[in-house]
PDB file of all heavy atoms in Angstrom:
ATOM      1  N   GLY A  24     155.887  73.436  63.111  1.00 74.00           N
ATOM      2  CA  GLY A  24     157.165  74.169  63.396  1.00 74.00           C
ATOM      3  C   GLY A  24     156.991  75.047  64.536  1.00 74.00           C
ATOM      4  O   GLY A  24     157.909  75.065  65.479  1.00 74.00           O
ATOM      5  N   PRO A  25     155.982  75.858  64.723  1.00 81.00           N
ATOM      6  CA  PRO A  25     155.843  76.819  66.006  1.00 81.00           C
ATOM      7  C   PRO A  25     155.906  76.056  67.229  1.00 81.00           C
ATOM      8  O   PRO A  25     156.501  76.527  68.254  1.00 81.00           O
ATOM      9  CB  PRO A  25     154.485  77.486  65.627  1.00 81.00           C
ATOM     10  CG  PRO A  25     154.354  77.441  64.211  1.00 81.00           C
ATOM     11  CD  PRO A  25     154.917  76.135  63.761  1.00 81.00           C
ATOM     12  N   ALA A  26     155.288  74.816  67.306  1.00 85.00           N
ATOM     13  CA  ALA A  26     155.371  74.105  68.579  1.00 85.00           C
ATOM     14  C   ALA A  26     156.765  73.675  68.978  1.00 85.00           C
ATOM     15  O   ALA A  26     157.166  73.699  70.141  1.00 85.00           O
ATOM     16  CB  ALA A  26     154.478  72.825  68.416  1.00 85.00           C
ATOM     17  N   ALA A  27     157.605  73.373  67.930  1.00 85.00           N
ATOM     18  CA  ALA A  27     159.008  72.958  68.282  1.00 85.00           C
ATOM     19  C   ALA A  27     159.724  74.226  68.849  1.00 85.00           C
ATOM     20  O   ALA A  27     160.566  74.101  69.746  1.00 85.00           O
ATOM     21  CB  ALA A  27     159.633  72.499  67.076  1.00 85.00           C
ATOM     22  N   GLY A  28     159.492  75.381  68.269  1.00 84.00           N
ATOM     23  CA  GLY A  28     160.152  76.665  68.718  1.00 84.00           C
ATOM     24  C   GLY A  28     159.917  76.910  70.117  1.00 84.00           C
ATOM     25  O   GLY A  28     160.660  77.349  70.882  1.00 84.00           O
ATOM     26  N   LEU A  29     158.512  76.704  70.475  1.00 87.00           N
ATOM     27  CA  LEU A  29     158.187  76.904  71.940  1.00 87.00           C
ATOM     28  C   LEU A  29     158.954  75.976  72.894  1.00 87.00           C
ATOM     29  O   LEU A  29     159.488  76.401  73.830  1.00 87.00           O
ATOM     30  CB  LEU A  29     156.735  76.659  72.094  1.00 87.00           C
ATOM     31  CG  LEU A  29     156.145  76.552  73.543  1.00 87.00           C
ATOM     32  CD1 LEU A  29     156.444  77.718  74.303  1.00 87.00           C
ATOM     33  CD2 LEU A  29     154.764  76.035  73.538  1.00 87.00           C
ATOM     34  N   LEU A  30     158.980  74.739  72.508  1.00 87.00           N
ATOM     35  CA  LEU A  30     159.727  73.664  73.358  1.00 87.00           C
ATOM     36  C   LEU A  30     161.137  74.025  73.427  1.00 87.00           C
ATOM     37  O   LEU A  30     161.741  73.908  74.550  1.00 87.00           O
ATOM     38  CB  LEU A  30     159.496  72.369  72.851  1.00 87.00           C
ATOM     39  CG  LEU A  30     157.903  71.892  72.772  1.00 87.00           C
ATOM     40  CD1 LEU A  30     157.940  70.517  72.171  1.00 87.00           C
ATOM     41  CD2 LEU A  30     157.431  71.857  74.163  1.00 87.00           C
ATOM     42  N   GLY A  31     161.737  74.522  72.336  1.00 88.00           N
ATOM     43  CA  GLY A  31     163.038  74.913  72.456  1.00 88.00           C
ATOM     44  C   GLY A  31     163.376  76.150  73.347  1.00 88.00           C
ATOM     45  O   GLY A  31     164.439  76.155  74.102  1.00 88.00           O
ATOM     46  N   GLY A  32     162.442  77.039  73.240  1.00 90.00           N
ATOM     47  CA  GLY A  32     162.531  78.249  74.146  1.00 90.00           C
ATOM     48  C   GLY A  32     162.341  78.013  75.601  1.00 90.00           C
ATOM     49  O   GLY A  32     163.133  78.479  76.476  1.00 90.00           O
ATOM     50  N   ILE A  33     161.437  77.074  75.888  1.00 90.00           N
ATOM     51  CA  ILE A  33     161.221  76.673  77.291  1.00 90.00           C
ATOM     52  C   ILE A  33     162.475  75.931  77.842  1.00 90.00           C
ATOM     53  O   ILE A  33     162.952  76.173  78.999  1.00 90.00           O
ATOM     54  CB  ILE A  33     160.038  75.700  77.356  1.00 90.00           C
ATOM     55  CG1 ILE A  33     158.674  76.617  77.151  1.00 90.00           C
ATOM     56  CG2 ILE A  33     159.887  75.155  78.830  1.00 90.00           C
ATOM     57  CD1 ILE A  33     157.494  75.715  77.072  1.00 90.00           C
ATOM     58  N   ASP A  34     163.008  75.103  77.004  1.00 88.00           N
ATOM     59  CA  ASP A  34     164.247  74.424  77.486  1.00 88.00           C
ATOM     60  C   ASP A  34     165.425  75.396  77.669  1.00 88.00           C
ATOM     61  O   ASP A  34     166.140  75.298  78.699  1.00 88.00           O
ATOM     62  CB  ASP A  34     164.633  73.342  76.446  1.00 88.00           C
ATOM     63  CG  ASP A  34     165.746  72.571  76.838  1.00 88.00           C
ATOM     64  OD1 ASP A  34     165.710  71.726  77.821  1.00 88.00           O
ATOM     65  OD2 ASP A  34     166.914  72.642  76.150  1.00 88.00           O
ATOM     66  N   ALA A  35     165.520  76.411  76.819  1.00 90.00           N
ATOM     67  CA  ALA A  35     166.620  77.366  77.068  1.00 90.00           C
ATOM     68  C   ALA A  35     166.475  78.216  78.300  1.00 90.00           C
ATOM     69  O   ALA A  35     167.363  78.532  79.116  1.00 90.00           O
ATOM     70  CB  ALA A  35     166.764  78.390  75.846  1.00 90.00           C
ATOM     71  N   ALA A  36     165.204  78.613  78.661  1.00 92.00           N
ATOM     72  CA  ALA A  36     164.880  79.411  79.892  1.00 92.00           C
ATOM     73  C   ALA A  36     165.125  78.634  81.021  1.00 92.00           C
ATOM     74  O   ALA A  36     165.672  78.990  82.103  1.00 92.00           O
ATOM     75  CB  ALA A  36     163.452  79.842  79.841  1.00 92.00           C
ATOM     76  N   ARG A  37     164.741  77.228  81.104  1.00 91.00           N
ATOM     77  CA  ARG A  37     164.945  76.396  82.175  1.00 91.00           C
ATOM     78  C   ARG A  37     166.391  76.264  82.479  1.00 91.00           C
ATOM     79  O   ARG A  37     166.765  76.232  83.756  1.00 91.00           O
ATOM     80  CB  ARG A  37     164.307  75.052  81.918  1.00 91.00           C
ATOM     81  CG  ARG A  37     164.440  73.982  83.027  1.00 91.00           C
ATOM     82  CD  ARG A  37     163.779  72.725  82.680  1.00 91.00           C
ATOM     83  NE  ARG A  37     164.407  72.166  81.420  1.00 91.00           N
ATOM     84  CZ  ARG A  37     165.531  71.450  81.445  1.00 91.00           C
ATOM     85  NH1 ARG A  37     166.187  71.139  82.646  1.00 91.00           N
ATOM     86  NH2 ARG A  37     166.049  70.968  80.340  1.00 91.00           N
ATOM     87  N   ARG A  38     167.240  76.105  81.541  1.00 88.00           N
ATOM     88  CA  ARG A  38     168.688  75.928  81.766  1.00 88.00           C
ATOM     89  C   ARG A  38     169.328  77.241  82.338  1.00 88.00           C
ATOM     90  O   ARG A  38     170.336  77.181  82.934  1.00 88.00           O
ATOM     91  CB  ARG A  38     169.295  75.478  80.425  1.00 88.00           C
ATOM     92  CG  ARG A  38     168.861  74.125  80.050  1.00 88.00           C
ATOM     93  CD  ARG A  38     169.588  73.711  78.749  1.00 88.00           C
ATOM     94  NE  ARG A  38     168.974  72.518  78.206  1.00 88.00           N
ATOM     95  CZ  ARG A  38     169.404  71.216  78.566  1.00 88.00           C
ATOM     96  NH1 ARG A  38     170.380  71.222  79.512  1.00 88.00           N
ATOM     97  NH2 ARG A  38     168.856  70.260  78.049  1.00 88.00           N
ATOM     98  N   SER A  39     168.649  78.277  82.120  1.00 90.00           N
ATOM     99  CA  SER A  39     169.263  79.576  82.662  1.00 90.00           C
ATOM    100  C   SER A  39     168.545  79.876  84.066  1.00 90.00           C
ATOM    101  O   SER A  39     168.878  80.974  84.556  1.00 90.00           O
ATOM    102  CB  SER A  39     169.006  80.731  81.591  1.00 90.00           C
ATOM    103  OG  SER A  39     169.953  80.572  80.692  1.00 90.00           O
ATOM    104  N   GLY A  40     167.713  78.992  84.565  1.00 91.00           N
ATOM    105  CA  GLY A  40     167.196  79.174  85.874  1.00 91.00           C
ATOM    106  C   GLY A  40     165.815  79.900  85.917  1.00 91.00           C
ATOM    107  O   GLY A  40     165.412  80.359  86.975  1.00 91.00           O
ATOM    108  N   PHE A  41     165.184  80.103  84.771  1.00 93.00           N
ATOM    109  CA  PHE A  41     163.830  80.816  84.821  1.00 93.00           C
ATOM    110  C   PHE A  41     162.796  79.681  84.540  1.00 93.00           C
ATOM    111  O   PHE A  41     162.831  78.744  83.863  1.00 93.00           O
ATOM    112  CB  PHE A  41     163.837  81.831  83.661  1.00 93.00           C
ATOM    113  CG  PHE A  41     164.928  82.990  83.789  1.00 93.00           C
ATOM    114  CD1 PHE A  41     166.054  82.908  83.104  1.00 93.00           C
ATOM    115  CD2 PHE A  41     164.642  84.023  84.642  1.00 93.00           C
ATOM    116  CE1 PHE A  41     166.984  83.849  83.388  1.00 93.00           C
ATOM    117  CE2 PHE A  41     165.554  85.015  84.746  1.00 93.00           C
ATOM    118  CZ  PHE A  41     166.682  85.051  84.057  1.00 93.00           C
ATOM    119  N   ALA A  42     161.610  79.977  85.249  1.00 91.00           N
ATOM    120  CA  ALA A  42     160.400  79.105  84.943  1.00 91.00           C
ATOM    121  C   ALA A  42     159.405  79.719  84.183  1.00 91.00           C
ATOM    122  O   ALA A  42     159.165  79.124  83.021  1.00 91.00           O
ATOM    123  CB  ALA A  42     159.821  78.715  86.344  1.00 91.00           C
ATOM    124  N   ASN A  43     158.827  80.902  84.534  1.00 93.00           N
ATOM    125  CA  ASN A  43     157.837  81.565  83.718  1.00 93.00           C
ATOM    126  C   ASN A  43     158.427  82.028  82.455  1.00 93.00           C
ATOM    127  O   ASN A  43     159.328  82.895  82.413  1.00 93.00           O
ATOM    128  CB  ASN A  43     157.183  82.633  84.435  1.00 93.00           C
ATOM    129  CG  ASN A  43     156.321  82.210  85.655  1.00 93.00           C
ATOM    130  OD1 ASN A  43     155.908  81.072  85.784  1.00 93.00           O
ATOM    131  ND2 ASN A  43     156.211  83.054  86.646  1.00 93.00           N
ATOM    132  N   THR A  44     157.899  81.604  81.346  1.00 93.00           N
ATOM    133  CA  THR A  44     158.607  81.898  79.982  1.00 93.00           C
ATOM    134  C   THR A  44     157.648  82.403  78.979  1.00 93.00           C
ATOM    135  O   THR A  44     156.505  81.860  78.849  1.00 93.00           O
ATOM    136  CB  THR A  44     159.125  80.556  79.454  1.00 93.00           C
ATOM    137  OG1 THR A  44     160.094  80.021  80.416  1.00 93.00           O
ATOM    138  CG2 THR A  44     159.969  80.881  78.189  1.00 93.00           C
ATOM    139  N   ILE A  45     157.989  83.399  78.273  1.00 94.00           N
ATOM    140  CA  ILE A  45     157.357  83.848  76.932  1.00 94.00           C
ATOM    141  C   ILE A  45     158.323  83.604  75.940  1.00 94.00           C
ATOM    142  O   ILE A  45     159.385  84.130  76.000  1.00 94.00           O
ATOM    143  CB  ILE A  45     156.925  85.395  77.112  1.00 94.00           C
ATOM    144  CG1 ILE A  45     155.961  85.686  78.200  1.00 94.00           C
ATOM    145  CG2 ILE A  45     156.357  85.887  75.786  1.00 94.00           C
ATOM    146  CD1 ILE A  45     155.654  87.121  78.479  1.00 94.00           C
ATOM    147  N   THR A  46     157.986  82.935  74.996  1.00 92.00           N
ATOM    148  CA  THR A  46     158.914  82.680  73.823  1.00 92.00           C
ATOM    149  C   THR A  46     158.412  83.575  72.605  1.00 92.00           C
ATOM    150  O   THR A  46     157.226  83.806  72.297  1.00 92.00           O
ATOM    151  CB  THR A  46     158.741  81.295  73.295  1.00 92.00           C
ATOM    152  OG1 THR A  46     157.537  80.772  72.908  1.00 92.00           O
ATOM    153  CG2 THR A  46     159.246  80.297  74.458  1.00 92.00           C
ATOM    154  N   LEU A  47     159.506  84.058  71.968  1.00 92.00           N
ATOM    155  CA  LEU A  47     159.318  84.942  70.761  1.00 92.00           C
ATOM    156  C   LEU A  47     160.278  84.296  69.686  1.00 92.00           C
ATOM    157  O   LEU A  47     161.375  84.562  69.692  1.00 92.00           O
ATOM    158  CB  LEU A  47     159.703  86.300  71.093  1.00 92.00           C
ATOM    159  CG  LEU A  47     159.728  87.368  69.930  1.00 92.00           C
ATOM    160  CD1 LEU A  47     158.361  87.619  69.372  1.00 92.00           C
ATOM    161  CD2 LEU A  47     160.515  88.594  70.262  1.00 92.00           C
ATOM    162  N   ASP A  48     159.602  83.703  68.761  1.00 89.00           N
ATOM    163  CA  ASP A  48     160.238  83.077  67.595  1.00 89.00           C
ATOM    164  C   ASP A  48     160.017  83.790  66.314  1.00 89.00           C
ATOM    165  O   ASP A  48     159.020  83.715  65.807  1.00 89.00           O
ATOM    166  CB  ASP A  48     159.901  81.607  67.562  1.00 89.00           C
ATOM    167  CG  ASP A  48     160.800  80.780  66.601  1.00 89.00           C
ATOM    168  OD1 ASP A  48     161.565  81.437  65.851  1.00 89.00           O
ATOM    169  OD2 ASP A  48     160.645  79.477  66.605  1.00 89.00           O
ATOM    170  N   VAL A  49     160.974  84.614  65.902  1.00 88.00           N
ATOM    171  CA  VAL A  49     160.764  85.575  64.765  1.00 88.00           C
ATOM    172  C   VAL A  49     161.663  84.949  63.569  1.00 88.00           C
ATOM    173  O   VAL A  49     162.822  84.978  63.691  1.00 88.00           O
ATOM    174  CB  VAL A  49     161.159  86.932  65.076  1.00 88.00           C
ATOM    175  CG1 VAL A  49     160.816  87.816  63.896  1.00 88.00           C
ATOM    176  CG2 VAL A  49     160.499  87.445  66.244  1.00 88.00           C
ATOM    177  N   GLY A  50     161.042  84.521  62.526  1.00 81.00           N
ATOM    178  CA  GLY A  50     161.630  83.987  61.380  1.00 81.00           C
ATOM    179  C   GLY A  50     161.662  85.113  60.230  1.00 81.00           C
ATOM    180  O   GLY A  50     161.481  86.302  60.548  1.00 81.00           O
ATOM    181  N   GLY A  51     161.627  84.624  59.021  1.00 78.00           N
ATOM    182  CA  GLY A  51     161.599  85.543  57.906  1.00 78.00           C
ATOM    183  C   GLY A  51     160.338  85.968  57.456  1.00 78.00           C
ATOM    184  O   GLY A  51     160.098  86.935  56.901  1.00 78.00           O
ATOM    185  N   THR A  52     159.243  85.168  57.870  1.00 77.00           N
ATOM    186  CA  THR A  52     157.938  85.380  57.462  1.00 77.00           C
ATOM    187  C   THR A  52     156.927  85.792  58.563  1.00 77.00           C
ATOM    188  O   THR A  52     156.068  86.522  58.403  1.00 77.00           O
ATOM    189  CB  THR A  52     157.256  84.134  56.692  1.00 77.00           C
ATOM    190  OG1 THR A  52     158.209  83.746  55.608  1.00 77.00           O
ATOM    191  CG2 THR A  52     155.885  84.380  56.135  1.00 77.00           C
ATOM    192  N   SER A  53     157.167  85.169  59.722  1.00 80.00           N
ATOM    193  CA  SER A  53     156.251  85.452  60.823  1.00 80.00           C
ATOM    194  C   SER A  53     156.861  85.362  62.201  1.00 80.00           C
ATOM    195  O   SER A  53     158.108  85.013  62.344  1.00 80.00           O
ATOM    196  CB  SER A  53     155.023  84.344  60.802  1.00 80.00           C
ATOM    197  OG  SER A  53     155.703  83.037  60.896  1.00 80.00           O
ATOM    198  N   ALA A  54     156.134  85.690  63.218  1.00 85.00           N
ATOM    199  CA  ALA A  54     156.600  85.633  64.554  1.00 85.00           C
ATOM    200  C   ALA A  54     155.657  84.770  65.347  1.00 85.00           C
ATOM    201  O   ALA A  54     154.435  84.943  65.332  1.00 85.00           O
ATOM    202  CB  ALA A  54     156.666  87.028  65.258  1.00 85.00           C
ATOM    203  N   ASP A  55     156.170  83.853  66.089  1.00 86.00           N
ATOM    204  CA  ASP A  55     155.333  82.920  66.985  1.00 86.00           C
ATOM    205  C   ASP A  55     155.668  83.278  68.390  1.00 86.00           C
ATOM    206  O   ASP A  55     156.737  83.230  68.797  1.00 86.00           O
ATOM    207  CB  ASP A  55     155.677  81.370  66.595  1.00 86.00           C
ATOM    208  CG  ASP A  55     155.636  80.979  65.185  1.00 86.00           C
ATOM    209  OD1 ASP A  55     154.520  81.470  64.671  1.00 86.00           O
ATOM    210  OD2 ASP A  55     156.447  80.354  64.707  1.00 86.00           O
ATOM    211  N   ILE A  56     154.424  83.579  69.110  1.00 89.00           N
ATOM    212  CA  ILE A  56     154.622  84.005  70.424  1.00 89.00           C
ATOM    213  C   ILE A  56     153.695  83.019  71.347  1.00 89.00           C
ATOM    214  O   ILE A  56     152.701  82.691  71.017  1.00 89.00           O
ATOM    215  CB  ILE A  56     153.991  85.371  70.622  1.00 89.00           C
ATOM    216  CG1 ILE A  56     154.945  86.368  69.810  1.00 89.00           C
ATOM    217  CG2 ILE A  56     153.831  85.847  72.032  1.00 89.00           C
ATOM    218  CD1 ILE A  56     154.297  87.633  69.361  1.00 89.00           C
ATOM    219  N   CYS A  57     154.201  82.621  72.416  1.00 90.00           N
ATOM    220  CA  CYS A  57     153.604  81.806  73.399  1.00 90.00           C
ATOM    221  C   CYS A  57     153.952  82.049  74.902  1.00 90.00           C
ATOM    222  O   CYS A  57     155.054  82.502  75.144  1.00 90.00           O
ATOM    223  CB  CYS A  57     153.842  80.289  73.111  1.00 90.00           C
ATOM    224  SG  CYS A  57     152.986  79.144  74.127  1.00 90.00           S
ATOM    225  N   VAL A  58     153.053  82.044  75.686  1.00 91.00           N
ATOM    226  CA  VAL A  58     153.168  82.170  77.179  1.00 91.00           C
ATOM    227  C   VAL A  58     153.116  80.892  77.919  1.00 91.00           C
ATOM    228  O   VAL A  58     152.124  80.146  77.722  1.00 91.00           O
ATOM    229  CB  VAL A  58     152.094  83.126  77.689  1.00 91.00           C
ATOM    230  CG1 VAL A  58     152.262  83.377  79.245  1.00 91.00           C
ATOM    231  CG2 VAL A  58     152.178  84.533  77.009  1.00 91.00           C
ATOM    232  N   ALA A  59     154.163  80.495  78.506  1.00 91.00           N
ATOM    233  CA  ALA A  59     154.301  79.222  79.249  1.00 91.00           C
ATOM    234  C   ALA A  59     154.471  79.502  80.709  1.00 91.00           C
ATOM    235  O   ALA A  59     155.736  79.446  81.159  1.00 91.00           O
ATOM    236  CB  ALA A  59     155.365  78.380  78.692  1.00 91.00           C
ATOM    237  N   PRO A  60     153.503  79.577  81.527  1.00 91.00           N
ATOM    238  CA  PRO A  60     153.652  79.691  83.021  1.00 91.00           C
ATOM    239  C   PRO A  60     154.236  78.516  83.590  1.00 91.00           C
ATOM    240  O   PRO A  60     153.995  77.342  83.300  1.00 91.00           O
ATOM    241  CB  PRO A  60     152.210  79.900  83.491  1.00 91.00           C
ATOM    242  CG  PRO A  60     151.398  80.069  82.308  1.00 91.00           C
ATOM    243  CD  PRO A  60     151.999  79.547  81.114  1.00 91.00           C
ATOM    244  N   ALA A  61     155.357  78.764  84.438  1.00 90.00           N
ATOM    245  CA  ALA A  61     155.969  77.611  85.058  1.00 90.00           C
ATOM    246  C   ALA A  61     156.651  76.746  84.020  1.00 90.00           C
ATOM    247  O   ALA A  61     157.028  75.573  84.368  1.00 90.00           O
ATOM    248  CB  ALA A  61     155.229  76.881  86.076  1.00 90.00           C
ATOM    249  N   GLY A  62     156.921  77.241  82.852  1.00 88.00           N
ATOM    250  CA  GLY A  62     157.583  76.459  81.959  1.00 88.00           C
ATOM    251  C   GLY A  62     156.682  75.379  81.186  1.00 88.00           C
ATOM    252  O   GLY A  62     157.260  74.370  80.616  1.00 88.00           O
ATOM    253  N   GLN A  63     155.447  75.488  81.390  1.00 86.00           N
ATOM    254  CA  GLN A  63     154.452  74.537  80.840  1.00 86.00           C
ATOM    255  C   GLN A  63     153.628  75.144  79.726  1.00 86.00           C
ATOM    256  O   GLN A  63     152.977  76.143  79.812  1.00 86.00           O
ATOM    257  CB  GLN A  63     153.453  74.033  81.907  1.00 86.00           C
ATOM    258  CG  GLN A  63     154.186  73.334  83.137  1.00 86.00           C
ATOM    259  CD  GLN A  63     154.850  72.121  82.661  1.00 86.00           C
ATOM    260  OE1 GLN A  63     154.257  71.189  81.932  1.00 86.00           O
ATOM    261  NE2 GLN A  63     156.087  71.800  83.133  1.00 86.00           N
ATOM    262  N   ALA A  64     153.657  74.503  78.566  1.00 83.00           N
ATOM    263  CA  ALA A  64     152.985  74.920  77.387  1.00 83.00           C
ATOM    264  C   ALA A  64     151.478  74.783  77.638  1.00 83.00           C
ATOM    265  O   ALA A  64     151.014  73.759  78.122  1.00 83.00           O
ATOM    266  CB  ALA A  64     153.400  74.135  76.095  1.00 83.00           C
ATOM    267  N   ARG A  65     150.704  75.834  77.304  1.00 84.00           N
ATOM    268  CA  ARG A  65     149.276  75.890  77.491  1.00 84.00           C
ATOM    269  C   ARG A  65     148.585  75.313  76.290  1.00 84.00           C
ATOM    270  O   ARG A  65     149.076  75.706  75.099  1.00 84.00           O
ATOM    271  CB  ARG A  65     148.722  77.197  77.911  1.00 84.00           C
ATOM    272  CG  ARG A  65     149.133  77.701  79.253  1.00 84.00           C
ATOM    273  CD  ARG A  65     148.547  79.107  79.423  1.00 84.00           C
ATOM    274  NE  ARG A  65     148.944  80.017  78.489  1.00 84.00           N
ATOM    275  CZ  ARG A  65     148.160  81.036  77.986  1.00 84.00           C
ATOM    276  NH1 ARG A  65     146.911  81.149  78.448  1.00 84.00           N
ATOM    277  NH2 ARG A  65     148.538  81.840  77.013  1.00 84.00           N
ATOM    278  N   MET A  66     147.635  74.558  76.290  1.00 82.00           N
ATOM    279  CA  MET A  66     146.855  74.060  75.196  1.00 82.00           C
ATOM    280  C   MET A  66     145.695  74.912  74.901  1.00 82.00           C
ATOM    281  O   MET A  66     145.087  75.540  75.754  1.00 82.00           O
ATOM    282  CB  MET A  66     146.340  72.601  75.428  1.00 82.00           C
ATOM    283  CG  MET A  66     147.539  71.595  75.874  1.00 82.00           C
ATOM    284  SD  MET A  66     148.800  71.443  74.630  1.00 82.00           S
ATOM    285  CE  MET A  66     147.811  70.597  73.355  1.00 82.00           C
ATOM    286  N   LYS A  67     145.417  75.167  73.627  1.00 82.00           N
ATOM    287  CA  LYS A  67     144.293  75.854  73.079  1.00 82.00           C
ATOM    288  C   LYS A  67     142.964  75.172  73.444  1.00 82.00           C
ATOM    289  O   LYS A  67     142.913  73.977  73.504  1.00 82.00           O
ATOM    290  CB  LYS A  67     144.321  76.173  71.620  1.00 82.00           C
ATOM    291  CG  LYS A  67     145.205  77.217  71.214  1.00 82.00           C
ATOM    292  CD  LYS A  67     145.023  77.533  69.790  1.00 82.00           C
ATOM    293  CE  LYS A  67     145.804  78.740  69.395  1.00 82.00           C
ATOM    294  NZ  LYS A  67     145.617  79.179  67.974  1.00 82.00           N
ATOM    295  N   HIS A  68     141.967  75.920  73.781  1.00 77.00           N
ATOM    296  CA  HIS A  68     140.639  75.401  74.021  1.00 77.00           C
ATOM    297  C   HIS A  68     140.155  74.837  72.605  1.00 77.00           C
ATOM    298  O   HIS A  68     140.521  75.473  71.508  1.00 77.00           O
ATOM    299  CB  HIS A  68     139.569  76.429  74.434  1.00 77.00           C
ATOM    300  CG  HIS A  68     138.309  75.799  74.839  1.00 77.00           C
ATOM    301  ND1 HIS A  68     137.438  75.371  73.951  1.00 77.00           N
ATOM    302  CD2 HIS A  68     137.758  75.713  75.989  1.00 77.00           C
ATOM    303  CE1 HIS A  68     136.368  74.905  74.509  1.00 77.00           C
ATOM    304  NE2 HIS A  68     136.558  75.043  75.834  1.00 77.00           N
TER     305      HIS A  68
END
């Protein structure tokens, strides 16, 4: 679920003309936060 939220956030930022993106997906139970430089999701080590 959190991975899908990140991709949706990156897509929204790109369509508004922004590249560097921080996504904040806050639901009822938790908040998912991701930093995507140049609109690219970083992978965990």
Side-chain angles (χ1 to χ4, degrees):
L29 164 67
L30 298 176
I33 290 175
D34 185 64
R37 179 180 60 82
R38 294 178 186 277
S39 286
F41 297 98
N43 293 336
T44 306
I45 297 174
T46 59
L47 172 71
D48 189 349
V49 186
T52 305
S53 61
D55 301 318
I56 294 157
C57 185
V58 178
Q63 298 297 315
R65 295 181 303 145
M66 304 300 291
K67 281 190 174 182
H68 190 287

